[in-house]
Amino acid sequence: IPAGKITALVGENGAGKSTLIKLLCRFYDPEQGRISWDDVDIREVRQADLRRRITVLFQQPFAYHETAADNIAFGDLASNPERPEIEAAAVQGGADHVIRKLPKGFETVLGKWFGNAELSTGEWQRVALARAFLRKADLVILDEPTSAMDSWAEAEWLRRFRRMAQGCTVLVITHRFTTAMRADIIHVMADGRILESGGHAALLA
């Protein structure tokens, strides 16, 4: 995974893509081999320090029954983000249009537990993307970031994706052709192994 680039990981269900995310986050360690970051085995790094450098958006983003602003701010509680940072992250994640239509905007409590505004799965996904990009991490891992978006929302988000990812190392796991083709390098995975790698045009050829 080259630093400062966007890498896409594609493959059928069960190929090992989600397992790789868990290994990168040290939810468990490899039984053989190692994962290194700048030639340092990540097992030699304190877990708290490692995870501080990573932000992950999982395929099923968590919905907090709190305000829209807090739902984004939870991405980096340690830095106590101010409202301008939260709103900028909402723009990056494509959630700003969704939030500004809510009765109280960023102060609207989300979720149906308390009878407030419920979002669609695709809208929750955009809020979660904003949460991910609020956290200024070195490595950004996105697991199916556009899977619940309609084609128009996905196209709008992809137009801004490269600008959002500037300066970060990004790993995108996706089944969507339109998302993968925006990556600098694509790894094709099957049965826990990388079968081939390259750019979009090279792999098509």
Side-chain angles (χ1 to χ4, degrees):
I1 302 173
K5 301 289 186 181
I6 300 171
T7 300
L9 189 63
V10 302
E12 296 180 358
N13 291 333
K17 304 185 298 297
S18 295
T19 300
L20 180 59
I21 291 181
K22 294 170 186 175
L23 288 167
L24 289 170
C25 295
R26 281 205 71 194
F27 293 159
Y28 46 80
D29 290 324
E31 294 177 0
Q32 296 179 12
R34 70 176 194 151
I35 296 173
S36 60
W37 189 330
D38 290 337
D39 295 325
V40 176
D41 191 320
I42 63 173
R43 287 173 289 198
E44 298 174 9
V45 181
R46 283 198 328 137
Q47 282 193 357
D49 294 337
L50 175 71
R51 290 174 182 166
R52 183 68 202 157
R53 299 183 66 187
I54 301 174
T55 187
V56 185
L57 172 63
F58 291 103
Q59 193 167 352
Q60 297 294 329
F62 194 84
Y64 296 100
H65 293 255
E66 293 282 354
T67 65
D70 283 345
N71 260 276
I72 296 173
F74 289 160
D76 194 6
L77 284 174
S79 72
N80 193 22
E82 300 289 338
R83 178 56 67 83
E85 296 173 86
I86 293 170
E87 293 186 7
V91 171
Q92 287 185 310
D96 53 318
H97 298 306
V98 173
I99 293 171
R100 294 191 190 282
K101 291 178 184 176
L102 297 173
K104 296 181 181 178
F106 281 86
E107 293 307 312
T108 304
V109 176
L110 304 181
K112 57 187 177 183
W113 283 2
F114 308 111
N116 290 288
E118 182 59 291
L119 303 182
S120 69
T121 305
E123 289 170 337
W124 273 119
Q125 200 164 39
R126 291 195 232 179
V127 170
L129 278 166
R131 187 188 304 149
F133 278 101
L134 177 74
R135 185 182 177 91
K136 302 296 189 294
D138 298 321
L139 175 61
V140 178
I141 302 172
L142 305 175
D143 188 0
E144 297 286 359
T146 60
S147 61
M149 295 184 193
D150 59 40
S151 298
W152 293 271
E154 182 197 27
E156 176 194 346
W157 184 78
L158 286 171
R159 276 196 295 270
R160 293 179 291 183
F161 177 46
R162 186 164 289 277
R163 178 167 49 84
M164 292 187 315
Q166 193 168 9
C168 299
T169 300
V170 181
L171 175 63
V172 182
I173 294 175
T174 183
H175 285 102
R176 287 204 176 187
F177 194 71
T178 46
T179 302
M181 65 189 295
R182 304 292 180 108
D184 297 300
I185 185 169
I186 303 167
H187 295 308
V188 182
M189 194 173 196
D191 297 324
R193 296 178 178 275
I194 302 298
L195 299 184
E196 53 185 347
S197 303
H200 173 69
L203 289 174
L204 279 182

